[in-house]
Amino acid sequence: MSAGPVTESPLQYLDEALAQLERDGLHRSLRQLQGEQLPRARFDGRDVINLSSNNYLGLTTHPKMREAALEAVRSLGVGTGSVRTIAGTMDLHMELERRIAAFKKTEASVVFQSGFAANAGTVSALLGKGDLILSDELNHASIIDGARLSRADIKVFPHRDVAALEKLLHETRDVKRRLVITDGVFSMDGDIAPLPQIAALARAHGAIMMIDDAHSSGVLGRAGRGTVDHFDIHGQVDVQVGTLSKAIGVLGGYVCGSKSLIDYLHHRARPFLFSTSHPPRRSGGVPRGVRRPGAGTRADPEALVQHEALQGRAPWPGLQYG
């Protein structure tokens, strides 16, 4: 049976959607960075002060980071050639994960290809149909997508509203498995979650406590350990997600927690299972870190990186840290 004549592209609706974005003033063009990611940079042919980068500490161009990444390529090549569970786990991956776990004061950690993959893969692995996710209304898109992929029920509580969360926990007390999840530092406004109160509620109601600490890593807590350390509530958060793509200056995400949690993610987190592992240049620079010359005993021996900003000195001239 022959089909009728094709009168338009099956993707015609994309042009219509783009036209609507234009009419709504929401269409965007990608800015092009000419050169390195620096505080003063050149975008689209214009020299500007760059206030939009996630490179909080200036580590993306640090000489020690460059040196370590180049050495990793020279000694191990440009890629790993496999997923982690078959033939793609290198010594440097294991070293990095040991360093991250020590840095975050947890039993173990696992690295993902991005922070988005870490959140989405973890949430969708831990929860399933019949379970419940309680999520702050301003949580990151990766948390939202992970919640949808899990097929668990989702209830959203108003931003940073501890009383509303407590009410939801009480109303859903008959649900066997529940996950409370919040950003540590919220990416759009920079406000901090009331984590001690949220974690206490989760524990009192027998719920799993999870935090996305991407924007607080390198910023809050001792040596930039994040929100859990900032509030000194180690051991009260079951799942900590972070990123290497912001303050640490490279690329990737990670999950920290108990050995059982990480072992489970090795078996059930689909982004980990079905993605080629980090190339050496990505993972090689971080374990070696950046040590501030002359830091001596003032340096934190467990810090993921040693850097002027983490010792109270700004890496960028004229920029002061509070």
Side-chain angles (χ1 to χ4, degrees):
M1 183 176 179
S2 61
V6 176
T7 57
E8 62 179 30
S9 166
L11 295 179
Q12 179 65 35
Y13 73 97
L14 299 181
D15 294 328
E16 296 166 0
L18 289 169
Q20 186 61 52
L21 287 173
E22 289 277 11
R23 289 191 292 271
D24 293 340
L26 298 176
H27 187 272
R28 67 180 70 179
S29 298
L30 299 180
R31 297 185 182 94
Q32 186 172 339
L33 171 63
Q34 287 100 31
E36 300 176 346
Q37 187 68 258
L38 296 171
R40 291 180 174 84
R42 189 169 183 81
F43 284 88
D44 296 333
R46 295 179 58 209
D47 293 325
V48 298
I49 296 174
N50 183 8
L51 300 178
S52 299
S53 169
N54 292 325
N55 182 27
Y56 306 139
L57 304 181
L59 293 180
T60 62
T61 55
H62 196 286
K64 291 289 186 181
M65 298 289 269
R66 293 181 196 258
E67 177 186 333
L70 289 171
E71 176 56 30
V73 171
R74 283 191 289 264
S75 61
L76 296 171
V78 298
T80 63
S82 181
V83 298
R84 290 283 302 271
T85 53
I86 299 177
T89 295
M90 293 181 166
D91 290 343
L92 58 81
H93 295 126
M94 302 303 291
E95 180 189 357
L96 174 58
E97 288 168 349
R98 285 191 293 268
R99 289 290 299 272
I100 290 173
F103 176 62
K104 299 292 280 189
K105 297 187 177 298
T106 61
E107 290 182 354
S109 77
V110 59
V111 170
F112 286 76
Q113 287 70 19
S114 69
F116 197 108
N119 264 329
T122 299
V123 175
S124 60
L126 293 180
L127 283 297
K129 196 170 183 179
D131 297 331
L132 176 65
I133 297 168
L134 303 164
S135 178
D136 188 288
E137 66 178 342
L138 295 187
N139 276 343
H140 192 265
S142 56
I143 295 173
I144 296 169
D145 284 4
R148 291 169 177 168
L149 287 169
S150 74
R151 297 188 297 169
D153 295 325
I154 304 167
K155 290 187 180 293
V156 177
F157 58 90
H159 183 47
R160 302 178 74 251
D161 192 330
V162 176
L165 172 60
E166 183 175 22
K167 183 172 183 290
L168 285 174
L169 284 165
H170 180 73
E171 292 172 350
T172 60
R173 58 189 177 276
D174 294 331
V175 178
K176 181 178 180 180
R177 187 174 293 113
R178 295 175 294 176
L179 173 73
V180 175
I181 186 165
T182 181
D183 281 12
V185 172
F186 290 85
S187 61
M188 298 307 293
D189 295 327
D191 50 346
I192 304 173
L195 191 59
Q197 298 95 316
I198 292 175
L201 279 176
R203 185 169 294 272
H205 289 267
I208 303 165
M209 181 68 228
M210 178 173 172
I211 183 174
D212 175 6
D213 230 7
H215 287 274
S216 67
S217 296
V219 177
L220 292 182
R222 290 167 297 168
R225 279 187 175 86
T227 311
V228 172
D229 190 85
H230 173 72
F231 287 113
D232 195 18
I233 55 170
H234 292 285
Q236 299 180 40
V237 176
D238 302 296
V239 186
Q240 296 186 53
V241 175
T243 185
L244 304 173
S245 308
K246 295 180 172 60
I248 307 305
V250 286
L251 183 64
Y254 58 82
V255 180
C256 295
S258 67
K259 291 180 180 178
S260 296
L261 168 68
I262 302 309
D263 192 17
Y264 184 82
L265 293 178
H266 287 167
H267 290 81
R268 289 291 182 266
R270 294 175 72 83
F272 176 84
L273 288 167
F274 298 108
S275 299
T276 297
S277 60
H278 277 183
R281 68 183 183 277
R282 245 199 238 180
S283 301
V286 180
R288 305 194 183 187
V290 181
R291 295 197 173 274
R292 181 169 60 86
T297 57
R298 292 180 59 197
D300 187 335
E302 292 182 342
L304 191 60
V305 295
Q306 300 289 357
H307 191 266
E308 289 90 340
L310 302 185
Q311 303 295 332
R313 290 177 52 194
W316 295 340
L319 183 61
Q320 298 298 320
Y321 286 80

